[in-house]
Amino acid sequence: MGLPEIEGLHIQVLTPVNGNRKTQRGDKVDVHYVGTLANNGKEFDQSYKRGEPLSFTVGQGQVIKGWDEGLLDMSVGEKRKLTIAPHLAYGDAGVGGGLIPPKSTLIFETELVSINGAGKEEL
């Protein structure tokens, strides 16, 4: 399949993993991440500090579109840096009372922890 190619989404594989099972639409995944603003590098959120990855179903609109697309075809243990244009993130609205300003390009360093509850050892 290969990396998704969508205008406004840049994917850089930081830690490649050649696993047998890769993410696809409809998978429930657990993802650790650090989110920063592209314009100034300011961190606005991260899951590592909470000690718990974010859980969601890929391709169901539960997260921003840049994540729904940018985390496809990923193996457990793989790390990616996603640079996401505003139209694939929060657009003109922004969120968090100014934490993420309107029209912000976002950078997420992501790590896939599990697919459908199965970790690296199980896949």
Side-chain angles (χ1 to χ4, degrees), residues 33-109:
Y33 66 92
V34 176
T36 57
L37 300 174
N39 67 340
N40 62 13
K42 182 178 178 185
E43 181 181 303
F44 57 82
D45 192 19
Q46 71 158 291
S47 63
Y48 293 101
K49 285 182 182 175
R50 289 189 295 276
E52 190 172 312
L54 178 67
S55 296
F56 65 96
T57 302
V58 179
Q60 303 296 308
Q62 296 174 355
V63 292
I64 59 175
K65 185 150 180 79
W67 271 46
D68 265 345
E69 300 298 330
L71 299 177
L72 288 171
D73 204 38
M74 194 171 180
S75 295
V76 172
E78 185 174 329
K79 294 182 182 182
R80 290 183 180 177
K81 179 178 178 181
L82 307 177
T83 303
I84 304 172
H87 71 279
L88 298 174
Y90 298 104
D92 293 337
V95 293
L99 189 62
I100 299 176
K103 300 180 182 171
S104 291
T105 296
L106 308 179
I107 297 174
F108 287 96
E109 291 195 15

Side-chain angles (χ1 to χ4, degrees), residues 7-57:
E7 185 179 339
L9 174 64
H10 179 264
I11 301 169
Q12 178 185 359
V13 177
L14 302 174
T15 304
V17 174
N18 192 13
N20 293 329
R21 175 70 162 83
K22 296 186 180 285
T23 53
Q24 53 195 339
R25 294 183 200 288
D27 283 339
K28 183 177 181 295
V29 297
D30 295 314
V31 178
H32 266 305
Y33 66 92
V34 176
T36 57
L37 300 174
N39 67 340
N40 62 13
K42 182 178 178 185
E43 181 181 303
F44 57 82
D45 192 19
Q46 71 158 291
S47 63
Y48 293 101
K49 285 182 182 175
R50 289 189 295 276
E52 190 172 312
L54 178 67
S55 296
F56 65 96
T57 302

